[in-house]
Amino acid sequence: MSRRDPHSYADLDQGRVTHVDLDLDVDFGSRTLSGTATLRLAAPSSGPLDLDTRTLTITNAATPAGVAIPFETAANDAVMGARLRLQLPAGTTAVVISYATSPEASALQWLEPAQTDGGQQPYLFSQCQAIHARSVLPCQDSPLARFTYQAKLTVPEALTAVMAAAPGEKGPGARAGTRAFTFAMPQSIPPYLFAFAVGDIVSRDLGPRSRVYAEPKTLDRAAWEFAEVDSMLLAAEDVFGPYLWDRFDFLVMPSSFPYGGMENPRLTFLTPTLLAGDRSLVNVLAHELAHSWTGNLVTNATIDDFWLNEGFTVWAERRIHEKLYGLEAQALSAAIGRNGLNDALASFGSDSPFTCLKTDGEGKDPDEFYSLVPYEKGFLFVSLLEQTVGREKFDDFIKKYIRHFSFTSITTEQFEEFLDKELPGVAAQVGAQEWIRRPGVPGNAPSFSSARLEHLKGLAAGWAGGARPQVAAAKQWTPEDWQIFLQALPRQLSEADCAWLDGNFQLTKHGNCEILCNWLAIAAGSGYAATRTRTRAFLGEVGRMKYLKPLYTALHKNPETRALAQETFAEHGGGYHPIARGGIERILAG
Ligand code: BES
Ligand code: ZN
């Protein structure tokens, strides 16, 4: 019996799709993709084959020789989508499915030219994690079902298509006024790593294995911000072993991209909010790079094992950070992470099952229970393992873990078994059961401190008693220093305090979105009216949920600004990604 993924209708005992050939026409007029997906099976199969779909219109299913395959689409489930059941004739090795996506496809955002930097051309991008690949192609949409693929995308001739795959030929499309781009993904991926974008996209080489893609207007800034990518790649290989995806390219997205980054293999997607002009937010690039091992080579079996992806990746991100910028920087980022974890614990309630590392998300929408817990509690647990056995031994363990499970999708239990075999007794010594299966953060969680961190926290702690940082000194603070300080300040400040901070440090005009968002959240929570115009504008400039959620929450909580939250959402919500829009709707309904 194969394991079942509670978020997929796929039954891997019926057959396994191990390769997909796609031929899709991208039509901006109707906001649809249409064409064929040819699913190739690992072995000849017969009888029912259940696939995941969401808002797809299936028009035909046949074998490559043209023998019709009966199919039936079940009713749509709000979380899971609609099961597509094919009845395979005996000995079927491939199925050609003709279909079209819906303008409401949950993985896709179709942008008007006005929503791009250039303002001239439309743009389309996908975001498949966690369970949205099924809205782009019929598939076994579980990380347990890895596949390789080839794709041909036909797009308007003024636009460029890019994919998280190796680019192949491009040439005129079959219809007049179109161009066709081909791609191949020779390494097997879980479906959530399927990704593409179409728009006015150009690129520049940054190193022997890396290139940045962006809209023409953004390319220079992007190339400067991420110029260090090759040294990151080398630092990451030091931690994990060789990079197995050939190239590490990345795409700076339009501002509505709802995440900080997405580790699509060979083509990481990044929010433009990272372009702070001072390289202070490149840790997100390091994070997505680290997923090339933890996540993309060794993949969570289901969303309930998500901490295996994110906890290890945050740990690796901070290891890379430490290598490049030193221990002090590492302590500050760990402290910023711990603040985020504390907020997440507080909002779930610290005995919520969603504060366990291993979760039970059956029947629930992964976008709704997404939080920093798997990231930051996962980071603490991995760091505890590292501290317990010592860095040298742990580094060997990590490299072996990657080698052993490369190109497979594993459960938490498989990780535990491997840990027990390789580092006997360590799980019991650190209380792994409690870490993995109990809510909250155990008492033996590592804490990270540094002189700088204590100094900044001390300054913030003195605030209520009237102490203020020295203005000249604070003007020299790094962006991390500011984040630590702002996060440690009381959540509500007087009007005079807000005015003092803003008057001295021009926070409302700050170009670093982390600092700006932390500040605007304090100001909103304090009912400080002078930042309202900027907050409203900012909520129209960015689509990253990390910024939208706390600011809408703060505005909504205060009766004085509740209407402002509604108006701002009415004004800008249409431009948000569907996942972000859903998240904000839940906040405003609360
Ligand atoms: N894989 C995630 C993004 C994601 C998770 C998308 C779940 C959809 C569902 C990505 O690697 C990530 O964690 N991004 C973070 C970066 C941060 C932790 C450095 C983000 O978006 O903020
Ligand atoms: Zn991640």
Side-chain angles (χ1 to χ4, degrees), residues 76-158:
N76 190 64
D77 175 89
V79 174
M80 302 273 286
R83 187 192 67 196
L84 170 65
R85 176 163 287 177
L86 307 175
Q87 295 291 346
L88 306 181
T92 301
T93 54
V95 187
V96 185
I97 300 175
S98 306
Y99 74 101
T101 63
S102 147
E104 275 74 52
S106 58
L108 301 180
Q109 191 177 15
W110 299 82
L111 300 176
E112 296 292 343
Q115 292 173 278
T116 67
D117 282 350
Q120 302 299 313
Q121 299 291 347
Y123 199 105
L124 166 67
F125 68 87
S126 67
Q127 165 56 48
C128 289
Q129 198 178 16
I131 54 168
H132 300 291
R134 64 193 64 179
S135 73
V136 181
L137 72 158
C139 59
Q140 295 178 313
D141 193 5
S142 162
L144 290 163
R146 306 179 78 100
F147 61 90
T148 55
Y149 69 86
Q150 287 185 304
K152 180 167 122 193
L153 298 182
T154 302
V155 308
E157 70 187 342

Coordinates of all heavy atoms in Angstrom, one line a residue, residues 76-158:
N76 N -16.5 19.8 -7.1 CA -15.3 20.6 -6.5 C -15.4 20.6 -5.0 O -16.4 20.9 -4.4 CB -15.3 22.0 -7.1 CG -14.1 22.7 -6.7 OD1 -13.0 22.3 -7.2 ND2 -14.2 23.8 -5.9
D77 N -14.3 20.4 -4.4 CA -14.2 20.5 -2.9 C -13.4 21.8 -2.7 O -12.4 22.0 -3.4 CB -13.4 19.3 -2.4 CG -13.2 19.5 -0.9 OD1 -14.0 19.1 -0.1 OD2 -12.1 20.0 -0.5
A78 N -13.8 22.6 -1.8 CA -13.2 23.9 -1.6 C -11.7 23.9 -1.3 O -10.9 24.7 -1.7 CB -13.9 24.7 -0.4
V79 N -11.3 22.8 -0.6 CA -9.8 22.7 -0.3 C -9.1 21.9 -1.3 O -8.0 22.3 -1.8 CB -9.6 22.1 1.1 CG1 -8.1 21.8 1.4 CG2 -10.2 22.9 2.2
M80 N -9.7 20.8 -1.7 CA -9.0 19.8 -2.5 C -9.1 20.0 -4.0 O -8.3 19.5 -4.8 CB -9.5 18.4 -2.2 CG -9.4 18.0 -0.8 SD -7.8 17.2 -0.5 CE -8.1 15.6 -1.3
G81 N -10.2 20.7 -4.5 CA -10.4 20.8 -5.9 C -11.3 19.6 -6.3 O -12.0 19.0 -5.5
A82 N -11.2 19.3 -7.6 CA -12.1 18.3 -8.2 C -11.3 17.0 -8.6 O -10.3 17.2 -9.4 CB -12.9 18.8 -9.3
R83 N -11.7 15.9 -8.2 CA -11.0 14.6 -8.6 C -11.4 14.4 -10.0 O -12.5 14.4 -10.4 CB -11.4 13.5 -7.7 CG -10.6 12.2 -8.0 CD -11.3 11.0 -7.3 NE -12.6 10.7 -8.0 CZ -13.5 9.9 -7.5 NH1 -13.3 9.4 -6.3 NH2 -14.6 9.7 -8.1
L84 N -10.4 14.1 -10.9 CA -10.6 13.6 -12.2 C -10.3 12.2 -12.3 O -9.1 11.8 -12.0 CB -9.6 14.4 -13.2 CG -9.6 13.9 -14.6 CD1 -10.9 14.0 -15.4 CD2 -8.5 14.6 -15.4
R85 N -11.3 11.3 -12.6 CA -11.0 9.9 -12.7 C -11.0 9.4 -14.1 O -12.0 9.6 -14.8 CB -12.1 9.1 -11.9 CG -11.9 7.6 -12.0 CD -12.7 6.9 -10.9 NE -12.1 7.0 -9.6 CZ -12.6 6.4 -8.5 NH1 -13.7 5.8 -8.5 NH2 -11.9 6.6 -7.4
L86 N -9.8 8.9 -14.5 CA -9.7 8.3 -15.8 C -9.9 6.8 -15.7 O -9.6 6.2 -14.7 CB -8.3 8.6 -16.4 CG -7.8 10.0 -16.4 CD1 -6.4 10.0 -16.9 CD2 -8.7 10.9 -17.3
Q87 N -10.5 6.2 -16.8 CA -10.5 4.7 -16.8 C -9.6 4.2 -17.9 O -9.9 4.3 -19.0 CB -12.0 4.2 -17.1 CG -13.0 4.6 -16.0 CD -12.8 3.8 -14.7 OE1 -12.0 2.8 -14.6 NE2 -13.4 4.3 -13.6
L88 N -8.4 3.8 -17.4 CA -7.4 3.4 -18.4 C -7.6 2.0 -19.0 O -7.9 1.1 -18.3 CB -6.0 3.4 -17.7 CG -5.6 4.6 -16.9 CD1 -4.2 4.4 -16.3 CD2 -5.6 5.9 -17.8
P89 N -7.5 2.0 -20.3 CA -7.6 0.7 -21.0 C -6.3 -0.1 -20.6 O -5.3 0.5 -20.2 CB -7.5 1.0 -22.5 CG -7.6 2.4 -22.6 CD -7.4 3.1 -21.3
A90 N -6.4 -1.5 -20.6 CA -5.3 -2.3 -20.2 C -4.0 -1.9 -20.9 O -4.0 -1.6 -22.1 CB -5.6 -3.8 -20.5
G91 N -2.9 -1.8 -20.2 CA -1.6 -1.6 -20.8 C -1.3 -0.1 -21.1 O -0.4 0.2 -21.9
T92 N -2.1 0.8 -20.5 CA -1.9 2.2 -20.9 C -0.5 2.7 -20.3 O -0.2 2.5 -19.1 CB -3.0 3.1 -20.3 OG1 -4.2 2.6 -20.8 CG2 -2.8 4.5 -20.6
T93 N 0.3 3.4 -21.1 CA 1.5 3.9 -20.6 C 1.5 5.4 -20.7 O 2.4 6.1 -20.1 CB 2.7 3.4 -21.5 OG1 2.5 3.7 -22.8 CG2 3.0 1.9 -21.3
A94 N 0.6 6.0 -21.4 CA 0.5 7.5 -21.4 C -0.9 7.9 -21.7 O -1.7 7.2 -22.4 CB 1.5 8.0 -22.5
V95 N -1.2 9.1 -21.3 CA -2.6 9.7 -21.4 C -2.4 11.1 -21.9 O -1.7 11.9 -21.4 CB -3.3 9.8 -20.1 CG1 -4.7 10.2 -20.3 CG2 -3.2 8.5 -19.3
V96 N -3.1 11.4 -23.0 CA -3.1 12.8 -23.5 C -4.4 13.5 -23.1 O -5.5 13.1 -23.5 CB -3.0 12.8 -25.1 CG1 -2.8 14.3 -25.6 CG2 -1.8 11.9 -25.5
I97 N -4.3 14.5 -22.3 CA -5.4 15.2 -21.8 C -5.5 16.6 -22.4 O -4.5 17.4 -22.3 CB -5.4 15.3 -20.2 CG1 -5.3 13.9 -19.6 CG2 -6.6 16.1 -19.7 CD1 -5.2 13.9 -18.1
S98 N -6.6 16.9 -23.1 CA -6.8 18.2 -23.6 C -7.6 19.0 -22.6 O -8.7 18.5 -22.1 CB -7.6 18.1 -25.0 OG -7.0 17.2 -25.8
Y99 N -7.2 20.2 -22.4 CA -7.9 20.9 -21.3 C -7.6 22.4 -21.4 O -6.8 22.9 -22.2 CB -7.4 20.4 -19.9 CG -6.0 20.9 -19.5 CD1 -5.8 21.9 -18.7 CD2 -4.9 20.2 -20.1 CE1 -4.5 22.3 -18.3 CE2 -3.6 20.6 -19.7 CZ -3.5 21.7 -18.9 OH -2.2 22.1 -18.5
A100 N -8.3 23.2 -20.6 CA -8.1 24.6 -20.4 C -8.2 25.0 -19.0 O -8.9 24.4 -18.2 CB -9.1 25.4 -21.2
T101 N -7.4 26.0 -18.6 CA -7.5 26.5 -17.2 C -8.6 27.6 -17.2 O -9.1 28.0 -18.2 CB -6.2 27.2 -16.8 OG1 -5.9 28.3 -17.6 CG2 -5.0 26.2 -16.9
S102 N -8.9 28.0 -15.9 CA -9.9 29.0 -15.7 C -9.3 30.3 -15.5 O -8.1 30.4 -14.9 CB -10.8 28.6 -14.5 OG -11.3 29.7 -13.8
P103 N -9.9 31.4 -15.8 CA -9.4 32.7 -15.4 C -9.2 32.9 -13.9 O -8.4 33.7 -13.4 CB -10.4 33.8 -15.9 CG -11.2 33.0 -16.9 CD -11.2 31.6 -16.6
E104 N -9.9 32.0 -13.1 CA -9.7 32.0 -11.7 C -8.7 31.0 -11.1 O -8.7 30.8 -9.9 CB -11.1 31.8 -11.0 CG -12.0 33.0 -10.8 CD -12.6 33.4 -12.2 OE1 -13.2 32.6 -12.8 OE2 -12.4 34.6 -12.5
A105 N -8.0 30.4 -12.0 CA -7.0 29.4 -11.6 C -6.2 29.9 -10.4 O -5.6 31.0 -10.4 CB -6.0 29.1 -12.7
S106 N -6.2 29.1 -9.3 CA -5.7 29.6 -8.0 C -4.2 29.8 -8.0 O -3.6 30.5 -7.2 CB -6.1 28.7 -6.9 OG -5.7 27.4 -7.1
A107 N -3.5 29.1 -9.0 CA -2.0 29.2 -9.0 C -1.6 30.4 -9.9 O -0.4 30.8 -9.9 CB -1.4 28.0 -9.6
L108 N -2.5 31.0 -10.6 CA -2.1 32.0 -11.6 C -2.5 33.4 -11.3 O -3.6 33.6 -10.8 CB -2.7 31.6 -13.0 CG -2.3 30.2 -13.5 CD1 -3.0 30.0 -14.9 CD2 -0.8 30.1 -13.7
Q109 N -1.6 34.3 -11.5 CA -2.1 35.7 -11.5 C -1.8 36.4 -12.8 O -0.7 36.4 -13.3 CB -1.4 36.5 -10.3 CG -2.2 37.9 -10.2 CD -1.7 38.8 -9.0 OE1 -0.6 38.5 -8.5 NE2 -2.4 39.8 -8.7
W110 N -2.9 36.9 -13.4 CA -2.8 37.6 -14.7 C -2.8 39.1 -14.4 O -3.7 39.6 -13.8 CB -4.1 37.3 -15.5 CG -4.2 35.8 -15.9 CD1 -4.8 34.8 -15.1 CD2 -3.8 35.2 -17.1 NE1 -4.8 33.6 -15.7 CE2 -4.2 33.8 -17.0 CE3 -3.2 35.6 -18.3 CZ2 -4.0 32.9 -18.0 CZ3 -3.0 34.7 -19.3 CH2 -3.4 33.3 -19.2
L111 N -1.7 39.7 -14.8 CA -1.6 41.2 -14.4 C -1.8 42.0 -15.7 O -1.4 41.8 -16.8 CB -0.2 41.4 -13.9 CG 0.3 40.7 -12.7 CD1 1.7 41.0 -12.3 CD2 -0.6 41.0 -11.5
E112 N -2.5 43.1 -15.4 CA -2.7 44.2 -16.4 C -1.3 44.9 -16.6 O -0.6 45.0 -15.6 CB -3.7 45.2 -16.0 CG -5.1 44.7 -15.8 CD -5.8 44.3 -17.2 OE1 -5.2 44.7 -18.2 OE2 -6.7 43.5 -17.1
P113 N -1.1 45.5 -17.7 CA 0.2 46.3 -17.9 C 0.4 47.3 -16.7 O 1.5 47.4 -16.2 CB 0.0 47.0 -19.2 CG -0.9 46.1 -20.0 CD -1.9 45.5 -19.0
A114 N -0.7 47.9 -16.2 CA -0.5 48.9 -15.1 C 0.1 48.3 -13.9 O 0.6 49.0 -13.0 CB -1.8 49.6 -14.9
Q115 N 0.0 46.9 -13.7 CA 0.5 46.3 -12.5 C 1.9 45.8 -12.7 O 2.5 45.2 -11.8 CB -0.4 45.1 -12.2 CG -1.8 45.4 -11.8 CD -2.7 44.2 -11.6 OE1 -3.2 43.6 -12.6 NE2 -2.8 43.7 -10.4
T116 N 2.5 46.2 -13.8 CA 4.0 45.9 -13.9 C 4.8 47.1 -13.8 O 4.3 48.2 -13.8 CB 4.2 45.3 -15.3 OG1 4.0 46.3 -16.3 CG2 3.2 44.1 -15.6
D117 N 6.1 46.9 -13.8 CA 7.0 48.1 -13.7 C 7.0 48.9 -15.0 O 7.0 50.1 -15.0 CB 8.5 47.6 -13.6 CG 8.8 47.2 -12.2 OD1 7.9 47.5 -11.3 OD2 9.8 46.6 -11.9
G118 N 7.0 48.1 -16.1 CA 7.1 48.8 -17.4 C 5.8 49.5 -17.8 O 5.8 50.5 -18.5
G119 N 4.7 48.9 -17.3 CA 3.4 49.5 -17.6 C 2.9 49.3 -19.0 O 1.8 49.8 -19.4
Q120 N 3.7 48.6 -19.9 CA 3.3 48.5 -21.3 C 2.7 47.1 -21.6 O 1.8 47.0 -22.5 CB 4.5 48.7 -22.2 CG 5.2 50.0 -22.0 CD 4.3 51.2 -22.3 OE1 3.6 51.2 -23.4 NE2 4.2 52.1 -21.4
Q121 N 3.2 46.1 -21.0 CA 2.8 44.7 -21.3 C 2.1 44.0 -20.2 O 2.5 44.3 -19.0 CB 4.1 43.9 -21.7 CG 4.8 44.5 -22.9 CD 4.1 44.3 -24.2 OE1 3.1 43.6 -24.3 NE2 4.5 45.0 -25.2
P122 N 1.2 43.1 -20.5 CA 0.7 42.3 -19.4 C 1.7 41.3 -18.9 O 2.8 41.1 -19.4 CB -0.5 41.5 -20.1 CG -0.1 41.4 -21.5 CD 0.8 42.6 -21.8
Y123 N 1.4 40.6 -17.8 CA 2.3 39.6 -17.2 C 1.5 38.5 -16.6 O 0.3 38.7 -16.2 CB 3.0 40.4 -16.0 CG 4.3 39.8 -15.6 CD1 5.6 40.4 -15.9 CD2 4.4 38.7 -14.7 CE1 6.8 39.9 -15.4 CE2 5.6 38.2 -14.2 CZ 6.8 38.8 -14.6 OH 8.0 38.3 -14.1
L124 N 2.1 37.3 -16.6 CA 1.4 36.2 -16.0 C 2.5 35.4 -15.2 O 3.6 35.2 -15.6 CB 0.8 35.3 -17.0 CG 0.4 33.8 -16.6 CD1 -0.8 33.9 -15.7 CD2 0.1 33.0 -17.9
F125 N 2.1 35.0 -13.9 CA 3.0 34.1 -13.2 C 2.2 33.0 -12.4 O 1.1 33.2 -12.1 CB 4.0 34.8 -12.3 CG 3.3 35.5 -11.1 CD1 3.1 34.8 -9.9 CD2 2.9 36.8 -11.2 CE1 2.6 35.4 -8.8 CE2 2.4 37.5 -10.1 CZ 2.2 36.8 -8.9
S126 N 3.0 32.0 -12.1 CA 2.3 30.9 -11.3 C 2.9 30.8 -9.9 O 4.1 31.3 -9.7 CB 2.6 29.5 -12.0 OG 4.0 29.2 -12.0
Q127 N 2.2 30.3 -9.0 CA 2.7 30.0 -7.6 C 2.0 28.8 -7.2 O 0.8 28.8 -6.8 CB 2.4 31.2 -6.7 CG 2.6 30.9 -5.2 CD 3.9 30.4 -4.9 OE1 5.0 30.9 -5.3 NE2 4.0 29.3 -4.1
C128 N 2.6 27.6 -7.3 CA 1.9 26.4 -7.1 C 2.0 25.8 -5.7 O 1.1 25.1 -5.3 CB 2.5 25.3 -8.1 SG 2.0 25.6 -9.8
Q129 N 3.0 26.2 -4.9 CA 3.0 25.7 -3.5 C 1.8 26.4 -2.7 O 1.6 27.6 -2.9 CB 4.3 26.0 -2.8 CG 4.5 25.1 -1.6 CD 5.9 25.4 -0.9 OE1 6.5 26.4 -1.2 NE2 6.3 24.5 0.0
A130 N 1.1 25.7 -1.9 CA 1.2 24.3 -1.6 C 0.4 23.4 -2.6 O 1.0 22.4 -3.1 CB 0.7 24.0 -0.2
I131 N -0.8 23.7 -2.8 CA -1.6 22.7 -3.6 C -2.4 23.4 -4.8 O -3.6 23.3 -4.9 CB -2.6 21.9 -2.8 CG1 -3.5 22.8 -1.9 CG2 -1.8 20.9 -1.9 CD1 -4.6 22.0 -1.2
H132 N -1.6 24.2 -5.5 CA -2.2 24.9 -6.6 C -1.8 24.4 -8.0 O -2.4 24.9 -9.0 CB -2.0 26.4 -6.5 CG -2.5 27.0 -5.2 ND1 -3.9 27.1 -5.0 CD2 -1.9 27.4 -4.1 CE1 -4.1 27.6 -3.8 NE2 -2.9 27.8 -3.2
A133 N -0.8 23.5 -8.1 CA -0.4 23.0 -9.4 C -1.6 22.4 -10.1 O -1.8 22.5 -11.3 CB 0.7 21.9 -9.2
R134 N -2.5 21.8 -9.4 CA -3.7 21.2 -9.9 C -4.6 22.2 -10.7 O -5.5 21.8 -11.4 CB -4.5 20.5 -8.8 CG -5.1 21.4 -7.8 CD -5.5 20.6 -6.5 NE -4.4 19.9 -5.8 CZ -4.6 19.2 -4.7 NH1 -5.8 19.1 -4.2 NH2 -3.5 18.6 -4.2
S135 N -4.4 23.5 -10.5 CA -5.2 24.5 -11.2 C -4.6 24.9 -12.5 O -5.1 25.6 -13.3 CB -5.5 25.7 -10.4 OG -4.3 26.5 -10.2
V136 N -3.4 24.3 -12.8 CA -2.6 24.6 -14.0 C -2.6 23.4 -14.9 O -2.6 23.5 -16.1 CB -1.2 25.1 -13.7 CG1 -0.5 25.4 -15.0 CG2 -1.2 26.3 -12.8
L137 N -2.4 22.2 -14.3 CA -2.4 21.0 -15.1 C -3.0 19.8 -14.3 O -2.9 19.8 -13.0 CB -1.0 20.6 -15.5 CG 0.0 20.1 -14.5 CD1 1.1 19.3 -15.2 CD2 0.6 21.2 -13.7
P138 N -3.7 18.9 -14.9 CA -4.2 17.7 -14.2 C -3.0 16.9 -13.8 O -2.1 16.6 -14.6 CB -5.0 17.0 -15.2 CG -4.6 17.5 -16.6 CD -4.0 18.8 -16.4
C139 N -2.9 16.6 -12.5 CA -1.6 15.9 -12.1 C -1.9 15.1 -10.7 O -3.0 15.3 -10.1 CB -0.5 16.8 -11.9 SG -0.8 18.2 -10.7
Q140 N -1.0 14.3 -10.3 CA -1.0 13.7 -9.0 C -0.4 14.8 -8.1 O 0.9 14.8 -8.0 CB -0.3 12.4 -9.0 CG -1.0 11.4 -9.8 CD -0.2 10.0 -9.9 OE1 1.0 10.0 -10.1 NE2 -0.9 8.9 -9.7
D141 N -1.2 15.7 -7.6 CA -0.6 16.9 -6.9 C -0.2 16.6 -5.5 O -0.8 17.2 -4.6 CB -1.6 18.0 -7.1 CG -1.0 19.4 -6.7 OD1 0.2 19.4 -6.5 OD2 -1.7 20.4 -6.7
S142 N 0.7 15.7 -5.3 CA 1.3 15.4 -4.0 C 2.8 15.4 -4.2 O 3.3 15.0 -5.2 CB 0.8 14.1 -3.5 OG 1.7 13.6 -2.5
P143 N 3.5 16.0 -3.1 CA 5.0 15.9 -3.2 C 5.5 14.5 -3.4 O 6.7 14.3 -3.8 CB 5.5 16.6 -1.9 CG 4.3 17.3 -1.4 CD 3.1 16.6 -1.9
L144 N 4.7 13.5 -3.0 CA 5.2 12.1 -3.2 C 5.3 11.7 -4.6 O 5.9 10.7 -4.9 CB 4.2 11.2 -2.4 CG 4.2 11.3 -0.9 CD1 2.9 10.6 -0.3 CD2 5.4 10.6 -0.4
A145 N 4.6 12.4 -5.5 CA 4.5 12.0 -6.9 C 5.5 12.9 -7.8 O 5.0 13.9 -8.4 CB 3.1 12.1 -7.4
R146 N 6.7 12.6 -7.8 CA 7.7 13.5 -8.5 C 7.6 13.1 -10.0 O 7.4 12.0 -10.4 CB 9.1 13.2 -8.0 CG 9.3 13.4 -6.5 CD 10.7 13.1 -6.1 NE 11.6 14.2 -6.4 CZ 11.9 15.1 -5.4 NH1 11.5 15.0 -4.2 NH2 12.7 16.1 -5.8
F147 N 7.9 14.2 -10.8 CA 7.9 13.9 -12.3 C 9.0 14.8 -12.9 O 9.4 15.8 -12.4 CB 6.6 14.1 -12.9 CG 6.0 15.5 -12.7 CD1 6.2 16.5 -13.7 CD2 5.2 15.8 -11.6 CE1 5.7 17.8 -13.6 CE2 4.6 17.1 -11.5 CZ 4.9 18.1 -12.5
T148 N 9.4 14.4 -14.1 CA 10.2 15.3 -15.0 C 9.3 15.8 -16.0 O 8.1 15.3 -16.2 CB 11.3 14.4 -15.7 OG1 10.7 13.4 -16.3 CG2 12.3 13.9 -14.7
Y149 N 9.6 16.9 -16.7 CA 8.7 17.4 -17.7 C 9.4 18.1 -18.9 O 10.6 18.5 -18.8 CB 7.6 18.3 -17.1 CG 8.1 19.6 -16.6 CD1 8.2 20.7 -17.4 CD2 8.4 19.8 -15.3 CE1 8.6 22.0 -17.0 CE2 8.8 21.0 -14.8 CZ 8.9 22.1 -15.6 OH 9.3 23.3 -15.1
Q150 N 8.7 18.2 -20.0 CA 9.1 19.1 -21.1 C 7.9 20.0 -21.3 O 6.7 19.5 -21.1 CB 9.4 18.3 -22.3 CG 10.8 17.6 -22.1 CD 11.3 16.9 -23.3 OE1 10.6 16.0 -23.8 NE2 12.4 17.2 -23.7
A151 N 8.1 21.2 -21.8 CA 7.0 22.1 -22.0 C 7.2 23.0 -23.2 O 8.3 23.4 -23.5 CB 6.7 22.9 -20.7
K152 N 6.1 23.2 -23.9 CA 6.1 24.2 -24.9 C 5.1 25.3 -24.6 O 3.9 24.9 -24.4 CB 5.8 23.6 -26.3 CG 5.9 24.7 -27.4 CD 5.9 24.0 -28.8 CE 4.7 24.4 -29.6 NZ 4.5 23.6 -30.7
L153 N 5.5 26.5 -24.4 CA 4.5 27.6 -24.1 C 4.5 28.5 -25.3 O 5.5 29.1 -25.8 CB 5.0 28.4 -22.9 CG 5.0 27.6 -21.6 CD1 5.5 28.5 -20.4 CD2 3.7 26.9 -21.2
T154 N 3.2 28.8 -25.8 CA 3.1 29.7 -26.9 C 2.5 31.0 -26.3 O 1.5 31.0 -25.7 CB 2.1 29.1 -28.0 OG1 2.7 27.9 -28.4 CG2 1.9 30.1 -29.1
V155 N 3.2 32.1 -26.6 CA 2.8 33.4 -25.9 C 2.8 34.5 -26.9 O 3.4 34.4 -28.0 CB 3.9 33.7 -24.8 CG1 4.0 32.5 -23.8 CG2 5.2 34.1 -25.3
P156 N 2.2 35.6 -26.6 CA 2.2 36.8 -27.5 C 3.6 37.2 -27.9 O 4.5 37.1 -27.0 CB 1.5 37.9 -26.7 CG 0.7 37.2 -25.7 CD 1.4 35.9 -25.4
E157 N 3.9 37.6 -29.2 CA 5.3 37.6 -29.6 C 6.1 38.7 -28.9 O 7.3 38.7 -28.9 CB 5.3 37.8 -31.1 CG 4.9 39.1 -31.7 CD 4.8 39.0 -33.2 OE1 5.5 38.1 -33.8 OE2 4.1 39.9 -33.8
A158 N 5.4 39.7 -28.3 CA 6.2 40.7 -27.6 C 6.7 40.3 -26.2 O 7.5 40.9 -25.6 CB 5.3 42.0 -27.4

